[in-house]
């Protein structure tokens, strides 16, 4: 049941190289972290969301501007409504990444730049979704160590999703 308040579901999707994680938070809030290579958003992530009857991603996190994490994101923007798009803050000369930001805004999503000030956190019904890293906007948006790191907390447990971060 999507709207249960006593369950947190975390699904790690097999997208080949790279990552994609779908989190169903208590009360029905949906977070998706990354979507794998181009094509994987349409072939893997979107069908998973359809089977789960998800029509809206409340928090879509792109950890960094490498194709094995961000490549399938544009396909999700075509499939479902997006509430917020979380990206690493700062200048980014990766064209596909800049287009993601523009398309998300065009479609009414809020764009949250992680590391450009206070780190974002969202919560409700006993859960918390918090960006822990990067703390500032220095460095290239496609560096592994600029990956947005997200903690999901519920019922005294924490899941840490770190993109490709190598050190902090």
């Amino acid at each position: 049941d999507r709207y249960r308040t006593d369950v947190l579901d975390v699904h790690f999707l097999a997208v080949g190289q790279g990552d994609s994680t779908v989190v169903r938070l208590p009360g029905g809030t949906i977070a998706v972290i990354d979507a794998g290579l181009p094509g994987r958003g349409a072939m893997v992530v979107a069908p998973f969301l359809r089977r789960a009857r998800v029509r809206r991603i409340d928090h879509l996190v792109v950890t960094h501007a490498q194709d094995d994490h961000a490549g399938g994101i544009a396909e999700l923007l075509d499939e479902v409504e997006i509430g917020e798009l979380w990206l690493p803050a700062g200048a980014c000369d990766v064209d596909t990444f800049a287009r993601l930001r523009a398309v998300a805004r065009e479609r009414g999503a809020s764009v949250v730049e992680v590391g450009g000030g206070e780190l974002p956190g969202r919560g409700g019904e006993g859960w918390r979704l918090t960006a822990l890293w990067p703390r500032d906007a220095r460095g290239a948006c496609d560096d592994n160590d600029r990956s947005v790191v997200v903690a999901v907390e519920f019922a005294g447990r924490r899941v840490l999703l770190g993109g490709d971060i190598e050190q902090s």
Side-chain angles (χ1 to χ4, degrees):
D1 181 4
R2 177 174 177 178
Y3 301 103
R4 287 184 59 175
T5 59
D6 61 338
V7 176
L8 170 77
D9 293 319
V10 180
H11 301 272
F12 299 99
L13 305 184
V15 293
Q17 180 182 338
D19 293 318
S20 184
T21 305
V22 176
V23 181
R24 184 188 308 263
L25 294 151
T29 299
I30 301 293
V32 175
I33 298 86
D34 291 335
L37 290 163
R40 302 299 189 211
M43 292 185 325
V44 178
V45 184
F48 176 86
L49 295 173
R50 279 193 296 274
R51 283 191 305 277
R53 295 187 177 106
V54 172
R55 294 191 178 120
R56 175 186 165 88
I57 298 171
D58 300 290
H59 311 287
L60 177 58
V61 179
V62 184
T63 59
H64 60 298
Q66 291 180 358
D67 272 355
D68 61 335
H69 292 262
I73 295 292
E75 299 150 17
L76 293 182
L77 294 173
D78 290 337
E79 290 279 336
V80 296
E81 178 186 347
I82 307 296
E84 293 183 331
L85 176 65
W86 292 15
L87 305 165
C92 188
D93 62 359
V94 177
D95 289 340
T96 54
F97 209 62
R99 281 195 296 271
L100 280 179
R101 181 181 282 121
V103 169
R105 283 190 174 125
E106 255 175 42
R107 302 215 173 127
S110 298
V111 176
V112 177
E113 295 199 10
V114 178
E118 187 175 320
L119 293 172
R122 307 291 184 262
E125 301 191 52
W127 61 266
R128 184 115 183 111
L129 178 73
T130 309
L132 303 175
W133 187 262
R135 296 207 179 275
D136 59 47
R138 290 179 289 170
C141 60
D142 60 348
D143 284 348
N144 285 344
D145 285 336
R146 296 271 306 132
S147 291
V148 175
V149 176
V150 176
V152 181
E153 297 173 79
F154 176 67
R157 303 273 196 256
R158 178 187 266 190
V159 177
L160 191 63
L161 302 163
D164 279 344
I165 195 163
E166 296 171 8
Q167 63 184 6
S168 62

